[in-house]
């Protein structure tokens, strides 16, 4: 159960981290197991290239931050990989039009079904779905799974440039060289606008309309060495 992230951690990264450890340069490799390969093939088929690359950067950041800042965690890298790949599955045109549910919630549902199909492991599917559903549920009160927290940290890092002190610049550079941003912020800002337009009742609105979109477009973080 620990390896699926079902442990109670603070939703506030600073409370959970206690002291910031000096980050180390890392070149994160993708896992090569059979389930991971199937998940990657599915993500490649379903996600636009920009979203796929964002998802792979999120995985790289998450692994590096976990090793640097939360070394005591026992989170399975395959579970983290599937979660990273599936976290934005709700934003595809097909899935946006398939439902009136918020993209994170519907994405969690789709992700649950996909993990069940590939693994028949309900705890694995529950862990992924829970993290996907809560990945934009940012805040400083209460608790979340460790898988959910690392997904929140890594996604907001790639989108808004938050928490950069937790990761070594070389690690960020390697991830961005391997999986280029290629206009990612504009793509994500458009996805936020689409969600707020199609599901104005959705959770994305809790991050501020249009403040969240503006914060994404105003992100001046340097992710790659030129
Ligand atoms: Zn994302």
């Amino acid at each position: 159960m620990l390896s699926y992230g079902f442990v109670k951690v603070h939703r506030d990264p600073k409370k959970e981290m206690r002291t910031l450890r000096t980050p180390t340069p890392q070149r994160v490799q993708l896992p090569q197991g059979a389930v991971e390969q199937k998940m990657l093939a599915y993500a490649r088929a379903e996600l636009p290239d920009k979203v796929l690359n964002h998802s792979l950067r999120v995985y790289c950041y998450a692994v590096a931050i976990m090793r640097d800042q939360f070394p005591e965690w026992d989170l399975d890298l395959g579970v983290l990989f599937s979660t990273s790949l599936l976290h934005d599955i709700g934003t595809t045109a097909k899935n946006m039009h398939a439902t009136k549910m918020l993209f994170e919630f519907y994405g969690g549902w789709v992700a649950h079904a996909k993990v069940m199909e590939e693994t028949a492991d309900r705890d694995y599917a529950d862990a992924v779905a829970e993290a996907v559903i809560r990945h934009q549920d940012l805040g400083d009160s209460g608790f979340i799974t460790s898988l959910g927290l690392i997904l929140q940290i890594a996604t907001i890092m790639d989108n808004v440039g938050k928490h950069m002190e937790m990761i070594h610049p070389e690690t960020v550079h390697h991830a961005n060289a391997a999986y280029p941003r290629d206009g990612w912020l504009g793509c994500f800002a458009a996805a936020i606008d689409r969600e707020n337009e199609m599901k104005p009742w959705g959770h994305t609105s809790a991050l501020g309309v249009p403040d969240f979109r503006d914060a994404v477009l105003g992100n001046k973080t340097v992710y790659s060495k030129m």
Side-chain angles (χ1 to χ4, degrees):
M1 210 54 94
L2 280 179
S3 64
Y4 293 163
F6 282 115
V7 283
K8 173 183 152 185
V9 303
H10 291 279
R11 190 164 57 133
D12 181 347
K14 290 201 168 55
K15 274 187 210 153
E16 194 55 37
M17 200 168 54
R18 296 194 197 97
T19 51
L20 179 72
R21 295 171 171 97
T22 307
T24 56
Q26 298 181 49
R27 200 183 282 257
V28 176
Q29 306 294 328
L30 305 186
Q32 300 297 326
V35 171
E36 288 84 23
Q37 291 306 302
K38 282 185 184 164
M39 290 299 181
L40 183 56
Y42 175 75
R44 273 213 177 96
E46 295 289 325
L47 299 175
D49 287 350
K50 285 185 174 64
V51 182
L52 177 67
N53 280 352
H54 158 68
S55 304
L56 292 168
R57 291 192 301 273
V58 162
Y59 174 75
C60 295
Y61 302 161
V63 171
I65 295 164
M66 228 167 43
R67 287 179 181 150
D68 282 337
Q69 308 299 342
F70 306 106
E72 66 284 5
W73 284 8
D74 177 26
L75 191 55
D76 183 88
L77 293 187
V79 173
L80 179 56
F81 188 60
S82 298
T83 306
S84 304
L85 286 174
L86 296 172
H87 84 276
D88 277 338
I89 192 73
T91 65
T92 65
K94 179 174 82 180
N95 288 334
M96 284 293 286
H97 287 96
T99 183
K100 293 185 173 56
M101 283 170 75
L102 345 177
F103 90 90
E104 306 99 306
F105 282 43
Y106 189 69
W109 190 355
V110 171
H112 194 280
K114 183 61 190 168
V115 174
M116 283 301 282
E117 182 189 321
E118 297 297 346
T119 69
D121 181 340
R122 181 163 294 277
D123 287 339
Y124 188 159
D126 287 355
V128 173
E130 171 102 5
V132 170
I133 287 168
R134 292 191 67 189
H135 84 269
Q136 294 202 116
D137 179 26
L138 311 170
D140 53 15
S141 63
F143 302 95
I144 189 166
T145 66
S146 58
L147 182 63
L149 181 63
I150 199 70
L151 182 63
Q152 287 190 350
I153 293 171
T155 52
I156 204 75
M157 178 176 281
D158 203 49
N159 293 333
V160 189
K162 246 186 127 180
H163 307 306
M164 296 300 286
E165 72 284 358
M166 290 187 178
I167 195 167
H168 195 284
E170 284 285 329
T171 309
V172 176
H173 169 71
H174 286 313
N176 281 267
Y179 311 110
R181 301 183 71 74
D182 188 26
W184 166 244
L185 294 179
C187 174
F188 182 56
I192 294 169
D193 284 345
R194 226 167 18 249
E195 175 78 358
N196 284 326
E197 193 185 316
M198 291 175 68
K199 294 103 179 255
W201 47 80
H203 180 262
T204 298
S205 66
L207 298 165
V209 184
D211 312 40
F212 185 45
R213 182 268 314 269
D214 291 347
V216 168
L217 289 177
N219 178 8
K220 297 281 185 275
T221 306
V222 177
Y223 291 89
S224 304
K225 293 186 281 191
M226 291 301 133

